[in-house]
Amino acid sequence: MSTLGDNREPLAMQTAVGTSAVIPPIEQPVDPDHGLSPAAAARVMAGLADNTSRAYTRHWATFTRWCELTGRTALPATRETLAEYMHHLTGTTTQYGRPPAPSTIDAMLSCVQSAHKLAGHDCDARLARMALRAYRRERASDPDPARRYRARRAPEIDLGGLRAMIDAIGSAAEAHRISPLRAERDQAVLVLGFAMMGRRSEVAALDIEDLTFTGRGLIVGVRRSKSDQDAIGREVILKPGRRPQTDPVALLRSWVATLDAHGITSGPLLRGIDRHDHLAGTSGYAGRGAGRISDETLNTIVRDAARRADLDDAARYTFHGLRAGAATAAAESGAAPSTIQEHGRWNSLAMVFRYWRRGSAWANNALDDVGL
């Protein structure tokens, strides 16, 4: 059994532009004087989403390293090479000592396919896909429950869970376990994430200037997201809530006023708070720069709130649970799939229907009137 995750970059990866952008060799035209310049290559790579770019570089490096060790050609790769690579991956172990999940291998194969397209080559992955399908079946029926694969999903945060988390943060502030400033920020984070059906990257990237308060509520401008890589921009309409504790308009208005009281009127909406209770962007802050909150900090805020609220499996909670829980709650309340799709900025209805089916099944179950 080999170990998955050798990230040493082989020579085939060293068409680097700077230190963070790596792309496979671009197929050169007949006229060598009109190839792709380093600056143009950098812009091509910048067209990928940040997370995609990091995964792309890591997975491509792993594939090309394997090709070097086995004497195979990485670009263009034959369909036999791709199938053999899929077979190789199924026999590896992750850093956690477990076989890789089928979804992980699927992502690696998709990366290799994308690399071929970017380099101007065809990529026949049919044999590899068949091998991956067999691996999924094997893992689904593995006699060892510990090895049996089941897609893991972070718990959804429904409205009851959200209220419990908000109340727990408030109680912690009253007991002086956390500062009022941190409590206000964390409550705003949770309610905003739920109300927007927001992705971590979207919420973390918000600036004060992206909020527009009106007589009817709040308009949140999402300048760029996973479903808007061209940065055309989207607007999310948030209406006042029915309860003060989960009213996104009131909480965000209060948070903006708090920032203003600290002399902050522009820049990152959600900021770091150091151990001395200094807000990022103010004098005395121990962190660096403007202190925009990170994606992982958003996860930490959710987990801490789940623990304070004593929710089951609190360590498994992530920020995505707010997005998923809001979509399911919307479906349960009767919102149409297209309405949920638009509000949550999903590109297609496929993922929306997963939440919609679950929510509608709770609201209108097939056995509601059976009398069990």
Side-chain angles (χ1 to χ4, degrees):
M1 298 283 281
S2 61
T3 301
L4 188 64
D6 186 348
N7 287 332
R8 290 174 292 175
E9 291 184 2
L11 295 177
M13 284 294 291
Q14 296 180 1
T15 52
V17 183
T19 59
S20 61
V22 183
I23 62 174
I26 303 296
E27 188 173 22
Q28 295 297 318
V30 175
D31 183 355
D33 294 331
H34 292 84
L36 192 64
S37 69
R43 193 171 292 277
V44 169
M45 194 62 184
L48 296 173
D50 293 340
N51 289 340
T52 300
S53 178
R54 288 190 291 269
Y56 181 98
T57 300
R58 184 175 67 254
H59 294 331
W60 180 251
T62 303
F63 173 63
T64 54
R65 178 62 176 168
W66 176 82
C67 287
E68 285 185 346
L69 294 175
T70 57
R72 293 176 178 268
T73 300
L75 195 72
T78 64
R79 64 178 189 168
E80 290 79 13
T81 290
L82 294 180
E84 192 65 37
Y85 183 55
M86 289 300 100
H87 176 65
H88 159 73
L89 291 176
T90 63
T92 60
T93 56
T94 68
Q95 59 181 319
Y96 305 107
R98 297 190 296 266
S103 58
T104 299
I105 297 180
D106 184 37
M108 298 180 80
L109 177 58
S110 296
C111 166
V112 173
Q113 290 181 273
S114 296
H116 278 69
K117 292 178 181 178
L118 182 62
H121 293 288
D122 292 329
C123 184
D124 186 349
R126 286 174 291 181
L127 294 182
R129 292 285 175 194
M130 290 178 67
L132 179 56
R133 179 186 299 172
Y135 180 61
R136 279 200 181 97
R137 292 172 177 170
E138 292 166 11
R139 289 292 304 277
S141 57
D142 196 298
D144 182 358
R147 291 172 54 91
R148 198 172 298 156
Y149 176 71
R150 179 181 176 185
R152 293 183 297 173
R153 298 188 183 94
E156 291 184 3
I157 301 172
D158 60 15
L159 192 55
L162 177 64
R163 289 171 179 161
M165 294 163 78
I166 295 297
D167 287 343
I169 292 173
S171 297
E174 290 175 1
H176 305 292
R177 291 192 296 270
I178 59 174
S179 70
L181 181 65
R182 188 179 297 274
E184 184 179 8
R185 183 203 63 181
D186 290 0
Q187 288 175 330
V189 163
L190 296 177
V191 174
L192 180 62
F194 189 94
M196 282 182 61
M197 297 183 190
R199 299 179 176 91
R200 285 188 304 166
S201 57
E202 295 172 347
V203 174
L206 288 174
D207 286 342
I208 297 171
E209 296 87 342
D210 295 323
L211 304 187
T212 303
F213 293 95
T214 74
R216 304 180 67 181
L218 171 63
I219 302 173
V220 181
V222 179
R223 286 171 280 115
R224 174 188 164 190
S225 71
K226 179 180 178 180
S227 57
D228 180 23
Q229 291 300 317
D230 291 330
I232 295 172
R234 301 281 292 277
E235 290 185 342
V236 183
I237 305 298
L238 303 184
K239 300 173 70 173
R242 296 177 183 176
R243 300 190 182 189
Q245 66 178 150
T246 51
D247 181 347
V249 180
L251 289 174
L252 266 297
R253 192 185 293 276
S254 174
W255 176 244
V256 170
T258 296
L259 292 176
D260 184 65
H262 284 80
I264 299 171
T265 58
S266 63
L269 173 68
L270 301 171
R271 297 165 176 255
I273 300 173
D274 67 19
R275 62 179 181 171
H276 303 294
D277 209 31
H278 292 147
L279 188 65
T282 62
S283 122
Y285 176 65
R288 298 179 179 178
R292 183 184 297 278
I293 207 167
S294 70
D295 286 11
E296 193 49 46
T297 300
L298 291 177
N299 276 340
T300 300
I301 289 172
V302 170
R303 291 193 189 103
D304 285 349
R307 291 189 183 99
R308 294 184 192 282
D310 199 25
L311 300 183
D312 293 338
D313 295 324
R316 293 183 55 233
Y317 277 71
T318 68
F319 193 81
H320 181 75
L322 295 167
R323 175 173 168 83
T328 299
E332 189 173 351
S333 67
S338 58
T339 302
I340 299 172
Q341 177 189 11
E342 175 67 22
H343 190 86
R345 300 160 305 287
W346 277 279
N347 273 338
S348 71
L349 282 170
M351 183 59 71
V352 175
F353 271 118
R354 176 187 298 177
Y355 303 122
W356 185 82
R357 291 189 187 101
R358 185 179 299 128
S360 59
W362 285 113
N364 184 27
N365 193 277
L367 299 181
D368 276 347
D369 298 322
V370 170
L372 282 177

